[in-house]
Amino acid sequence: MKKFRKVLDGLTTSSPGGTIGTPSCGSAAGTPTAAPTPKEIDVQETLISENFQLCKTVRHGFPYQPTALAFDPVQKILAIGSRSGGVRILGRPGVDCYCQHESGAAVLQLQFLINEGALVTACADDTLHLWNLRQRRPAVLHSLKFNRERITFCHLPFQSKWLYVGTERGNTHIVNIESFILSGYVIMWNKAIELSTKTHPGPVVHLSDSPKDEGKLLVGFESGTIVQWDLRAKKADFRIYYDEAIHSVSWHHEGKTFMCSHSDGSLTLWNLRNTSKPFQVTFPHGKIQKDGRKESCKPILKVEYKTSRSSEPFVIFSGGLSYDKAGRRPTLTIMHGKAITVLEMDHPIVEFMVLCETPYNNEVQDPYAVVVLLEKDLIVVDLTQSNFPVFENPYPMDVHESPVTCTAYFADCPPDIIPILYSIGAKHKKTGYSQKEWPVSGGSWTLGSHTYPEIIITGHADGSVKFWDASAFTLQMLYKLKTSKVFEKPKAGEGRAAELVEEDPFAVQMVSWCPQSRIFCVVGISAHIILYRFSKYDANTQIVSLEVRLQCDSEDIITPSENENNPCFAEPGSHSPQPHHQHPLSPGSRTPEGAKDSIPCLKVKDRVVRVPPGYQSELVIQLLWVDGEPPQQITSLDINSAYGLLAFGNLNGLAVVDYLQKTVLLCISTLDLYGATDPYQRLTRSPRRNRQSTSEFCMRGLSNFYSDSKKRIRTSYQSLTELTDNQQSTDMDRSKSPTSDHVNGHCTSPTSQPCSAGKPRIPMGPEGPRLTRRGPGRPPFRKAQSAACMEISLPVSHTEGHASRRAMLQQLHGVTMYSHDEHHTTTTPYCWTERESRENSFSRSRSSSVSSIDRDTKEAVTTLQFGESYGRKNDVLPGPCLWVGTSLGVVLLIPMSIPIDHEERMEDSVTVGPSGAVQMLKGSVLRFAFLDCSGALIQGPYEVWRDQNAPEDSDRPRRRKLVHFSPSSSQDACGEGHLTVVCSERQAKVFLMPSQSCLFVHNITESSFVLRADVVSVCNSVCLACFCANGHVMMLSLPSLRPLMDVNYLPLTDMRIARTFYFTNGGQALYLSSPTEIQRITYTQEMCDNLQEMLGELFTPIETPEAQNRGFLKGFFGGNTQTFDREELFGEAAAGKASRSLAQHIPGQGGVEGMKVAAGGAVGELARARIALDERGQRLGELEERTALMMTSAETFSKHAHELMLKCKDKKWYQF
């Protein structure tokens, strides 16, 4: 434990982690700044770098772009491979493991070593991998890289250690699973076919051993050739040449017949007695046309032929529909006797697999279910019931039911909130599922000791919000909220919303949730906010709607040619862009007189509606269109239940709403927040300026505007909603901050408006610096959003390199750069060069010494925070305040006066008055937090939840119960005041209130910028967690801002990661690793050490079922004449060694060594030793179990032999 003591007397400073000097990036600690304060700050910091370690924990959701499927019928675990090289292994609920191939090559095929705790994967880079599943975090034991041939198909017989590998050249190789070395035994394609055949048979598409004789291998080639190869005699038993290409083959369990699926939509049944022609040819979906010919059908990609004891055989296949039925969905067909059932799927079928009771292929199969892997879903069909119902999926495979647009993570929820949400959500669950248990029930999982209530919230493109129980590394949906029910359904082609956001007008941009008061706020893409309250009772309610005109004056639209000083000093409440119609704000007025097009994007239901129990809408706030100008999207939001206030901001300004009285308290432009304390020198607006400017750069025709708007917003969700990964390469040049300064007239900030190309710097006149500021009449930045927003516009530029950089900046902050000139070949307003990119990097502090703004800029409100603080330097007691952070790095403080009494609060108005700028930082302000003088985190005040729809109780009248955490309540020894932590894209500061003196400064990064910052509680202390655009995850101590961890974790190759990254308490974080998957990580050493016991076990010791046809007498007298010794044929002694150039063996890191990520440092060594001990104990336990089984078997054998001897002892030879 290190002790930080700082005496701020203006003369001396002391900090063990750093020295006095100029703040610099990468310093050992936050740089202390000398500032006179009357009190001594004594903070005991307990966090050290050894407390932190970064590693992945679990991954939730559906595997993105799946490619392969496998099932272990004994262990009952399922594996799914993906195009990105990932493998998800699923068992019973809680058993969910994710593995990733280092190469990232697509997984082509998966093969379980049944009941052996191992898995073989074949990847697109022609490499075989053997995974060890007998540990909680699987690792690769061996790899085999084929150098000269491409792998097309693999087959591993049950209880065999020899893997058959078919290749694109038509050859079949054999690999020893134990050593992962090629055998010298090879089935060459030219030996498999007849010598007279002149054409190549094509790649191997099927390999299987005969159920009747393991020494016979059936090889299927793509061209339609099928060969049964006698492994002992090394020759072909028979060859079949069929006209249609083969896609799959399936044996009857007796080994006398097999079925093939073909490219013409036919199924052929072959009998081994006569292989000259198929025994039966059927076109299941092909009808006979009028001319007598069969209609053409699509290929049947896979067929499974399974027998049953109690009924007719099952023939299950995918595809085969006729071509003339256009628009039909993908189907899975089940033929059971004469009945044909066609199951339509919502998505294309990737793979399916029939689950059977026995792992032996020479026994009656008795199928009981079929697992169907779709492109975007996983379903299991119950085959034991005639209507073939599906099983209810216990895994969270529907995270992407509608594309995820934002996330939130709460790890310290009240314990009663999860059961309440679950009970409400359970009433709306779907019905009609199979009554049987989920068949994928393998592995084991127990509730760990380090568990606490955790909730993940996901917002979606269709306006829905889902609450998930994320406790104990699991994920289960609790409750689903549909925000679209608040609005009338927009009619096609009508309204502004239909013109601009046709696909997803209700998409969720961000959410704000207070678990204690259960108040929930949703910000939508159509510039709307919905406030919800939780109730356990249904109610009839009418939704209250507030319409806010948060627009700046159109007189602030300045053409690029104007050089006069024209700041945007819009009067509070004067927000119409129409220069001839100024309308003061009237919170209760929906359409002020004279305003043109003063309408919201969506229409709220104006009738009384019946709302079910759960979250019920109470208030809808919408920003209005003004003169054909759409409202700017909301960039920041905060709500406080104790104050009864809601604040939000965007590119134009800030608004504060009293949701108890349903009134707008403040609606003001960002510039007006400064008052007399504006850190920039600005001159008054000239009244003689030309108001009729028609510059193409800013003022365009409505036709052009609408066409451009539709083109951008229709593609606004492309990187997050479409299930296609557009991987973007990142370099240092593209990692520049989107809030970099304007240097030499070039714009580098998406929160600023673009400058004309080559525009010179405006010289400073004798009267002071000039300011050129553009208003929002046709703002080049159409959409300014928070880091969780979804607006991504495809850039249109004449230079690909320029477009890629601009796209990077736009996507990082969800800001669309709007310039009419971009769509014409005459001008190119953005001329990025490498030299300019270097010049445009942010290299100086935005401090009050910056006396001028010589650039076109718009200042957005980027973060808001309510809390108890000191509104002015001379305040003695703390009071309600609103902290405001802007895109120019300015921190503003707005004190408020709120009536305390309940009746007065509902009747008297709340007064709000900006007090000016407090601090300035580099880059956009991202986060606020408050600490007391002992370094403890000060929680915001809140209202205790009460159900407003509960029955009236005359003895206990309804009154608001508030909980306050005053900054001075726990500071008897430290005195009055508190510490404020502010983090921006480049910098973090800690300063003392009410003196507003800066205590510590730390430059987080110079070459990149912070995307997400949160102050989190970890290890009974607090720290500042940051995620940067260059992929670094950083932890800084508080209040000294001493670096504790800096890990290059994740290269930012996808904007989805930047917009969904979220830190929470307890050392956890999450992000959307793909459009369908949520990745959770931990950044504490304690959780990394305990990760093993929190995860589920994939392998559980289970006795392999005995084959039914191997009775005692048959085995004792050697009745099985088809025994096959593969070792004798494929071993090195008989087959020799394979060519070294054919394949390369690569040893894996398996076992304990694969746990290095999760176990590092001194504590990690103990963890490794513990893991090794556990594995050794597990092996000893398995050995003991096997020994006991052998002893039992020997006793049984002895008993039967003795009985047989007694029975036959007195018999003569002729009596046998």
Side-chain angles (χ1 to χ4, degrees), residues 54 56 1027-1033 1047-1053 1057-1058 1061 1071-1073:
L54 195 69
K56 296 180 180 179
F1027 174 59
C1028 298
N1030 58 9
H1032 284 248
V1033 176
V1047 177
N1048 187 5
Y1049 167 68
L1050 186 70
L1052 188 63
T1053 57
I1057 299 170
F1061 206 100
Y1071 59 91
L1072 210 65
S1073 58

mmCIF file of all heavy atoms in Angstrom, residues 54 56 1027-1033 1047-1053 1057-1058 1061 1071-1073:
data_model
loop_
_atom_site.group_PDB
_atom_site.id
_atom_site.type_symbol
_atom_site.label_atom_id
_atom_site.label_comp_id
_atom_site.label_asym_id
_atom_site.label_seq_id
_atom_site.Cartn_x
_atom_site.Cartn_y
_atom_site.Cartn_z
ATOM 1 N N LEU A 54 -5.357 -8.523 -17.419
ATOM 2 C CA LEU A 54 -6.421 -8.497 -18.413
ATOM 3 C C LEU A 54 -6.544 -9.861 -19.082
ATOM 4 O O LEU A 54 -5.554 -10.424 -19.546
ATOM 5 C CB LEU A 54 -6.129 -7.429 -19.467
ATOM 6 C CG LEU A 54 -7.311 -7.038 -20.357
ATOM 7 C CD1 LEU A 54 -8.361 -6.292 -19.547
ATOM 8 C CD2 LEU A 54 -6.836 -6.180 -21.517
ATOM 9 N N LYS A 56 -9.760 -12.541 -21.214
ATOM 10 C CA LYS A 56 -11.139 -12.792 -21.604
ATOM 11 C C LYS A 56 -11.764 -13.806 -20.654
ATOM 12 O O LYS A 56 -11.082 -14.694 -20.152
ATOM 13 C CB LYS A 56 -11.202 -13.326 -23.037
ATOM 14 C CG LYS A 56 -10.723 -12.340 -24.088
ATOM 15 C CD LYS A 56 -10.813 -12.941 -25.481
ATOM 16 C CE LYS A 56 -10.325 -11.958 -26.528
ATOM 17 N NZ LYS A 56 -10.380 -12.529 -27.899
ATOM 18 N N PHE A 1027 -10.290 2.910 -22.327
ATOM 19 C CA PHE A 1027 -10.057 2.106 -23.531
ATOM 20 C C PHE A 1027 -9.774 3.057 -24.675
ATOM 21 O O PHE A 1027 -10.576 3.947 -24.973
ATOM 22 C CB PHE A 1027 -11.283 1.242 -23.849
ATOM 23 C CG PHE A 1027 -11.173 0.495 -25.156
ATOM 24 C CD1 PHE A 1027 -10.132 -0.397 -25.380
ATOM 25 C CD2 PHE A 1027 -12.099 0.693 -26.173
ATOM 26 C CE1 PHE A 1027 -10.025 -1.080 -26.586
ATOM 27 C CE2 PHE A 1027 -12.001 0.016 -27.372
ATOM 28 C CZ PHE A 1027 -10.957 -0.878 -27.575
ATOM 29 N N CYS A 1028 -8.592 2.905 -25.300
ATOM 30 C CA CYS A 1028 -8.131 3.827 -26.324
ATOM 31 C C CYS A 1028 -8.355 3.255 -27.718
ATOM 32 O O CYS A 1028 -8.516 2.047 -27.914
ATOM 33 C CB CYS A 1028 -6.653 4.152 -26.121
ATOM 34 S SG CYS A 1028 -6.300 4.972 -24.551
ATOM 35 N N ALA A 1029 -8.299 4.146 -28.702
ATOM 36 C CA ALA A 1029 -8.530 3.746 -30.080
ATOM 37 C C ALA A 1029 -7.426 2.855 -30.616
ATOM 38 O O ALA A 1029 -7.639 2.102 -31.558
ATOM 39 C CB ALA A 1029 -8.673 4.989 -30.960
ATOM 40 N N ASN A 1030 -6.241 2.928 -30.027
ATOM 41 C CA ASN A 1030 -5.159 2.046 -30.469
ATOM 42 C C ASN A 1030 -5.228 0.674 -29.825
ATOM 43 O O ASN A 1030 -4.303 -0.130 -29.986
ATOM 44 C CB ASN A 1030 -3.800 2.695 -30.198
ATOM 45 C CG ASN A 1030 -3.594 3.034 -28.735
ATOM 46 O OD1 ASN A 1030 -4.398 2.641 -27.884
ATOM 47 N ND2 ASN A 1030 -2.540 3.758 -28.434
ATOM 48 N N GLY A 1031 -6.303 0.392 -29.104
ATOM 49 C CA GLY A 1031 -6.504 -0.931 -28.520
ATOM 50 C C GLY A 1031 -5.978 -1.096 -27.121
ATOM 51 O O GLY A 1031 -6.093 -2.178 -26.544
ATOM 52 N N HIS A 1032 -5.401 -0.058 -26.533
ATOM 53 C CA HIS A 1032 -4.839 -0.165 -25.188
ATOM 54 C C HIS A 1032 -5.939 -0.030 -24.144
ATOM 55 O O HIS A 1032 -6.839 0.805 -24.263
ATOM 56 C CB HIS A 1032 -3.785 0.912 -24.964
ATOM 57 C CG HIS A 1032 -2.478 0.618 -25.632
ATOM 58 N ND1 HIS A 1032 -1.324 0.337 -24.941
ATOM 59 C CD2 HIS A 1032 -2.139 0.515 -26.939
ATOM 60 C CE1 HIS A 1032 -0.342 0.099 -25.784
ATOM 61 N NE2 HIS A 1032 -0.811 0.207 -27.016
ATOM 62 N N VAL A 1033 -5.863 -0.862 -23.117
ATOM 63 C CA VAL A 1033 -6.713 -0.742 -21.939
ATOM 64 C C VAL A 1033 -5.834 -0.254 -20.799
ATOM 65 O O VAL A 1033 -4.816 -0.880 -20.488
ATOM 66 C CB VAL A 1033 -7.374 -2.085 -21.585
ATOM 67 C CG1 VAL A 1033 -8.179 -1.955 -20.301
ATOM 68 C CG2 VAL A 1033 -8.270 -2.556 -22.727
ATOM 69 N N VAL A 1047 -2.237 -2.245 -21.210
ATOM 70 C CA VAL A 1047 -2.147 -3.488 -21.981
ATOM 71 C C VAL A 1047 -2.637 -3.215 -23.395
ATOM 72 O O VAL A 1047 -3.725 -2.659 -23.583
ATOM 73 C CB VAL A 1047 -2.984 -4.608 -21.337
ATOM 74 C CG1 VAL A 1047 -2.950 -5.866 -22.193
ATOM 75 C CG2 VAL A 1047 -2.496 -4.902 -19.935
ATOM 76 N N ASN A 1048 -1.857 -3.604 -24.380
ATOM 77 C CA ASN A 1048 -2.277 -3.525 -25.779
ATOM 78 C C ASN A 1048 -3.158 -4.734 -26.052
ATOM 79 O O ASN A 1048 -2.697 -5.771 -26.507
ATOM 80 C CB ASN A 1048 -1.061 -3.496 -26.692
ATOM 81 C CG ASN A 1048 -1.456 -3.231 -28.141
ATOM 82 O OD1 ASN A 1048 -2.620 -2.975 -28.441
ATOM 83 N ND2 ASN A 1048 -0.490 -3.308 -29.028
ATOM 84 N N TYR A 1049 -4.437 -4.570 -25.781
ATOM 85 C CA TYR A 1049 -5.343 -5.720 -25.752
ATOM 86 C C TYR A 1049 -5.982 -6.006 -27.095
ATOM 87 O O TYR A 1049 -6.000 -7.130 -27.575
ATOM 88 C CB TYR A 1049 -6.420 -5.477 -24.701
ATOM 89 C CG TYR A 1049 -7.596 -6.426 -24.784
ATOM 90 C CD1 TYR A 1049 -7.435 -7.778 -24.486
ATOM 91 C CD2 TYR A 1049 -8.855 -5.981 -25.155
ATOM 92 C CE1 TYR A 1049 -8.506 -8.653 -24.566
ATOM 93 C CE2 TYR A 1049 -9.929 -6.846 -25.239
ATOM 94 C CZ TYR A 1049 -9.753 -8.173 -24.942
ATOM 95 O OH TYR A 1049 -10.803 -9.037 -25.023
ATOM 96 N N LEU A 1050 -6.538 -4.985 -27.721
ATOM 97 C CA LEU A 1050 -7.444 -5.231 -28.835
ATOM 98 C C LEU A 1050 -7.241 -4.180 -29.911
ATOM 99 O O LEU A 1050 -7.556 -3.019 -29.700
ATOM 100 C CB LEU A 1050 -8.898 -5.189 -28.338
ATOM 101 C CG LEU A 1050 -9.984 -5.555 -29.315
ATOM 102 C CD1 LEU A 1050 -9.930 -7.036 -29.630
ATOM 103 C CD2 LEU A 1050 -11.346 -5.204 -28.734
ATOM 104 N N PRO A 1051 -6.710 -4.533 -31.061
ATOM 105 C CA PRO A 1051 -6.605 -3.544 -32.138
ATOM 106 C C PRO A 1051 -7.986 -3.147 -32.623
ATOM 107 O O PRO A 1051 -8.863 -3.997 -32.812
ATOM 108 C CB PRO A 1051 -5.816 -4.285 -33.225
ATOM 109 C CG PRO A 1051 -6.038 -5.731 -32.940
ATOM 110 C CD PRO A 1051 -6.182 -5.849 -31.453
ATOM 111 N N LEU A 1052 -8.173 -1.865 -32.814
ATOM 112 C CA LEU A 1052 -9.497 -1.357 -33.172
ATOM 113 C C LEU A 1052 -9.719 -1.547 -34.668
ATOM 114 O O LEU A 1052 -9.460 -0.667 -35.469
ATOM 115 C CB LEU A 1052 -9.619 0.116 -32.793
ATOM 116 C CG LEU A 1052 -11.022 0.711 -32.949
ATOM 117 C CD1 LEU A 1052 -11.999 0.009 -32.020
ATOM 118 C CD2 LEU A 1052 -11.002 2.195 -32.659
ATOM 119 N N THR A 1053 -10.181 -2.717 -35.041
ATOM 120 C CA THR A 1053 -10.440 -3.032 -36.439
ATOM 121 C C THR A 1053 -11.902 -2.874 -36.802
ATOM 122 O O THR A 1053 -12.259 -2.997 -37.962
ATOM 123 C CB THR A 1053 -10.007 -4.469 -36.744
ATOM 124 O OG1 THR A 1053 -10.692 -5.368 -35.860
ATOM 125 C CG2 THR A 1053 -8.507 -4.625 -36.553
ATOM 126 N N ILE A 1057 -16.705 -2.291 -31.815
ATOM 127 C CA ILE A 1057 -16.033 -2.445 -30.529
ATOM 128 C C ILE A 1057 -15.998 -1.112 -29.805
ATOM 129 O O ILE A 1057 -16.283 -1.014 -28.605
ATOM 130 C CB ILE A 1057 -14.620 -3.009 -30.732
ATOM 131 C CG1 ILE A 1057 -14.692 -4.393 -31.388
ATOM 132 C CG2 ILE A 1057 -13.868 -3.080 -29.417
ATOM 133 C CD1 ILE A 1057 -13.348 -4.912 -31.835
ATOM 134 N N ALA A 1058 -15.644 -0.057 -30.526
ATOM 135 C CA ALA A 1058 -15.530 1.268 -29.907
ATOM 136 C C ALA A 1058 -16.858 1.740 -29.346
ATOM 137 O O ALA A 1058 -16.911 2.356 -28.278
ATOM 138 C CB ALA A 1058 -15.007 2.264 -30.934
ATOM 139 N N PHE A 1061 -18.018 -0.792 -26.064
ATOM 140 C CA PHE A 1061 -17.128 -1.105 -24.943
ATOM 141 C C PHE A 1061 -17.676 -0.438 -23.679
ATOM 142 O O PHE A 1061 -18.058 0.729 -23.694
ATOM 143 C CB PHE A 1061 -15.714 -0.598 -25.235
ATOM 144 C CG PHE A 1061 -14.647 -1.363 -24.499
ATOM 145 C CD1 PHE A 1061 -13.919 -2.350 -25.130
ATOM 146 C CD2 PHE A 1061 -14.381 -1.121 -23.161
ATOM 147 C CE1 PHE A 1061 -12.946 -3.068 -24.460
ATOM 148 C CE2 PHE A 1061 -13.419 -1.818 -22.477
ATOM 149 C CZ PHE A 1061 -12.691 -2.799 -23.126
ATOM 150 N N TYR A 1071 -17.792 -5.883 -24.576
ATOM 151 C CA TYR A 1071 -17.934 -5.209 -25.857
ATOM 152 C C TYR A 1071 -18.554 -6.196 -26.837
ATOM 153 O O TYR A 1071 -18.575 -7.414 -26.588
ATOM 154 C CB TYR A 1071 -16.589 -4.689 -26.386
ATOM 155 C CG TYR A 1071 -15.541 -5.760 -26.588
ATOM 156 C CD1 TYR A 1071 -15.392 -6.414 -27.805
ATOM 157 C CD2 TYR A 1071 -14.684 -6.119 -25.544
ATOM 158 C CE1 TYR A 1071 -14.438 -7.395 -27.990
ATOM 159 C CE2 TYR A 1071 -13.720 -7.097 -25.718
ATOM 160 C CZ TYR A 1071 -13.601 -7.725 -26.940
ATOM 161 O OH TYR A 1071 -12.649 -8.704 -27.110
ATOM 162 N N LEU A 1072 -19.053 -5.683 -27.924
ATOM 163 C CA LEU A 1072 -19.654 -6.523 -28.953
ATOM 164 C C LEU A 1072 -18.541 -6.956 -29.903
ATOM 165 O O LEU A 1072 -18.077 -6.180 -30.730
ATOM 166 C CB LEU A 1072 -20.743 -5.738 -29.700
ATOM 167 C CG LEU A 1072 -21.913 -6.544 -30.252
ATOM 168 C CD1 LEU A 1072 -22.708 -7.162 -29.112
ATOM 169 C CD2 LEU A 1072 -22.817 -5.678 -31.097
ATOM 170 N N SER A 1073 -18.093 -8.194 -29.752
ATOM 171 C CA SER A 1073 -16.971 -8.683 -30.556
ATOM 172 C C SER A 1073 -17.377 -8.971 -31.993
ATOM 173 O O SER A 1073 -16.531 -9.018 -32.882
ATOM 174 C CB SER A 1073 -16.383 -9.948 -29.923
ATOM 175 O OG SER A 1073 -17.371 -10.949 -29.811
#
